């Protein structure tokens, strides 16, 4: 049986695990894995290993990753992403908007980040989002992450976007909240 990598452009609406399941079924191969979870609402590159190549996926997971981020000011959801239920709506002033770019760029460098409750990070064999959906919030210790750079910052009204290059394990939803 052949081994190798597939570079998949994951569409919105399916999980990274869904992609793995589809590949397993289409190729009739059981040993398939991916090099990092993308949220169901996220689109982008998902590196998938097949057979013996799955052993090499850990080396991809430690590499820098680049994301295109788009967010809206003044809204807080229970999941800290676009799919959550709105918990708060706050007024956005011109002062907030004028400070926005400086605030975003202040994250460049190393810092400790707590994995969000709605993430695929596992605790005792179960994903954090599964606990969160049951109303149980698990607080894991913070992990050192690094924001290498932000670029292409854009802001229009209450929406802003940018590209960000980050270390492995960085949660973009935690950066935005």
């Amino acid at each position: 049986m052949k081994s190798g990598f597939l570079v998949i452009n994951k569409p919105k609406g399916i999980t990274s695990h869904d992609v793995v399941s589809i590949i397993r079924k289409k190729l009739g191969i059981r040993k398939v894995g991916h090099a990092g979870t993308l949220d169901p609402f996220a689109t982008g590159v998902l590196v998938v290993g097949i057979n013996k190549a799955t052993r090499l996926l850990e080396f991809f997971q430690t590499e820098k990753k680049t994301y295109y981020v788009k967010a809206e000011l003044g809204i807080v959801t229970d999941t800290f992403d676009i799919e959550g239920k709105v918990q708060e709506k706050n007024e956005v002033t011109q002062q907030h908007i004028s400070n926005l770019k400086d605030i975003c760029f202040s994250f460049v460098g190393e810092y400790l980040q707590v994995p969000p409750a709605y993430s695929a990070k596992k605790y005792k064999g179960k994903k954090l989002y599964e606990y969160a959906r049951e109303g149980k919030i698990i607080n894991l210790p913070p992990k050192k992450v690094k924001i290498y750079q932000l670029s292409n910052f854009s802001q229009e009204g209450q929406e802003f976007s940018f590209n960000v290059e980050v270390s492995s394990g960085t949660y973009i939803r935690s950066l935005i909240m």
Side-chain angles (χ1 to χ4, degrees):
M1 188 60 66
K2 294 191 179 200
S3 297
F5 296 103
L6 296 173
V7 179
I8 305 293
N9 184 7
K10 188 193 88 60
K12 181 179 180 177
I14 64 173
T15 66
S16 300
H17 189 285
D18 291 339
V19 172
V20 167
S21 294
I22 290 166
I23 292 168
R24 282 180 178 151
K25 189 174 183 176
K26 286 199 183 268
L27 298 180
I29 297 171
R30 181 77 194 127
K31 196 162 185 175
V32 179
H34 62 79
T37 303
L38 290 173
D39 284 324
F41 63 84
T43 62
V45 174
L46 185 68
V47 177
V48 177
I50 298 173
N51 288 324
K52 290 181 182 178
T54 58
R55 296 180 192 163
L56 301 173
L57 289 172
E58 68 181 281
F59 298 107
F60 288 99
Q61 291 174 339
T62 59
E63 292 299 311
K64 296 177 188 177
K65 294 164 176 56
T66 302
Y67 296 96
Y68 170 73
V69 179
K70 187 174 182 182
E72 186 174 343
L73 293 169
I75 294 178
V76 178
T77 68
D78 58 350
T79 57
F80 302 125
D81 64 35
I82 195 69
E83 294 192 328
K85 293 178 187 164
V86 174
Q87 301 294 303
E88 292 179 35
K89 278 193 171 192
N90 300 301
E91 180 184 349
V92 179
T93 66
Q94 190 55 43
Q95 181 69 26
H96 292 118
I97 291 171
S98 63
N99 292 335
L100 182 61
K101 192 172 184 178
D102 289 339
I103 291 167
C104 287
F105 280 94
S106 74
F107 284 99
V108 174
E110 282 189 354
Y111 68 99
L112 294 175
Q113 185 185 68
V114 176
Y118 283 87
S119 71
K121 182 91 173 156
K122 289 189 177 179
Y123 175 74
K124 294 186 177 180
K126 193 171 172 179
K127 294 175 182 166
L128 290 183
Y129 69 76
E130 293 172 329
Y131 287 107
R133 288 177 183 160
E134 295 171 355
K136 301 173 189 168
I137 302 301
I138 306 298
N139 292 310
L140 294 181
K143 180 184 173 193
K144 190 183 290 187
V145 297
K146 185 169 185 175
I147 308 298
Y148 294 99
Q149 67 175 346
L150 282 104
S151 60
N152 300 325
F153 187 90
S154 175
Q155 179 267 317
E156 189 174 315
Q158 290 189 201
E159 288 189 356
F160 66 104
S161 62
F162 55 88
N163 292 331
V164 62
E165 186 177 277
V166 300
S167 65
S168 176
T170 304
Y171 290 92
I172 302 303
R173 71 178 66 216
S174 293
L175 179 64
I176 295 300
M177 67 180 242

